[in-house]
Amino acid sequence: MSLQAISRYCVFSAVLACTAFTSYAEQPATLIQAAHVCTDEGETQRLAINDQLRDMAKALAEFKPTTFCFIMQPSLAVTVLEQGDTYVKFSHDAKVMFTFPEYIESDDTANVLTGLADNSL
């Protein structure tokens, strides 16, 4: 594959990841146990493209945190800023971070799962 073809693929992938991103009002959420979290959006986009690459990056982060990614324990102080098909932008302790949809639950989902949903409506 030529360098030009690789460049086009990377640009296309980045555009695709950006167009699949949905912005909405901030919502409280909970990270699941041992969530794979990144501090760099570019790295998150790169990992979001390929499931196998993301699994390998998570395994590496479990062994030793990298410059951009690490494993984060569940936290009640997580606020989802934007939800995409391939990754989620969230805030924790006034820091913007990124994770993948399988590692985050909205509080509504968590409440239903634990039987704490408000059924008075």
Side-chain angles (χ1 to χ4, degrees), residues 1 4 7 12 20 30 34 37-38 45 55 58 62 65 72-74 80 86 90-91 94 97 103 110 113-115:
M1 188 182 278
Q4 187 177 24
S7 296
F12 175 74
T30 304
V37 174
C38 297
Q45 288 174 342
D55 290 343
K58 182 181 182 196
E62 286 173 344
M72 186 172 183
Q73 297 308 313
V80 174
T86 56
F90 70 96
S91 173
M97 293 185 255
Y103 300 117
L113 292 174
T114 59

Side-chain angles (χ1 to χ4, degrees), residues 2-121:
S2 73
L3 186 57
Q4 187 177 24
I6 292 171
S7 296
R8 275 191 240 148
Y9 174 76
C10 291
V11 168
F12 175 74
S13 299
V15 169
L16 182 62
C18 290
T19 58
F21 218 66
T22 306
S23 180
Y24 60 94
E26 296 177 356
Q27 295 184 342
T30 304
L31 290 175
I32 66 165
Q33 187 74 20
H36 184 202
V37 174
C38 297
T39 57
D40 181 73
E41 189 168 13
E43 178 68 5
T44 307
Q45 288 174 342
R46 186 180 74 81
L47 294 175
I49 294 170
N50 185 312
D51 290 338
Q52 187 176 16
L53 181 61
R54 188 168 62 228
D55 290 343
M56 290 182 346
K58 182 181 182 196
L60 175 62
E62 286 173 344
F63 177 70
K64 181 179 181 190
T66 65
T67 303
F68 299 120
C69 298
F70 58 95
I71 303 301
M72 186 172 183
Q73 297 308 313
S75 173
L76 299 177
V78 171
T79 303
V80 174
L81 302 174
E82 296 177 17
Q83 173 79 45
D85 292 337
T86 56
Y87 68 97
V88 178
K89 181 179 183 179
F90 70 96
S91 173
H92 174 68
D93 288 341
K95 295 177 187 170
V96 175
M97 293 185 255
F98 307 89
T99 191
F100 305 97
E102 63 266 24
Y103 300 117
I104 199 159
E105 294 179 337
S106 69
D107 276 352
D108 291 340
T109 304
N111 287 342
V112 169
L113 292 174
T114 59
L116 300 175
D118 183 9
N119 294 322
S120 62
L121 299 176

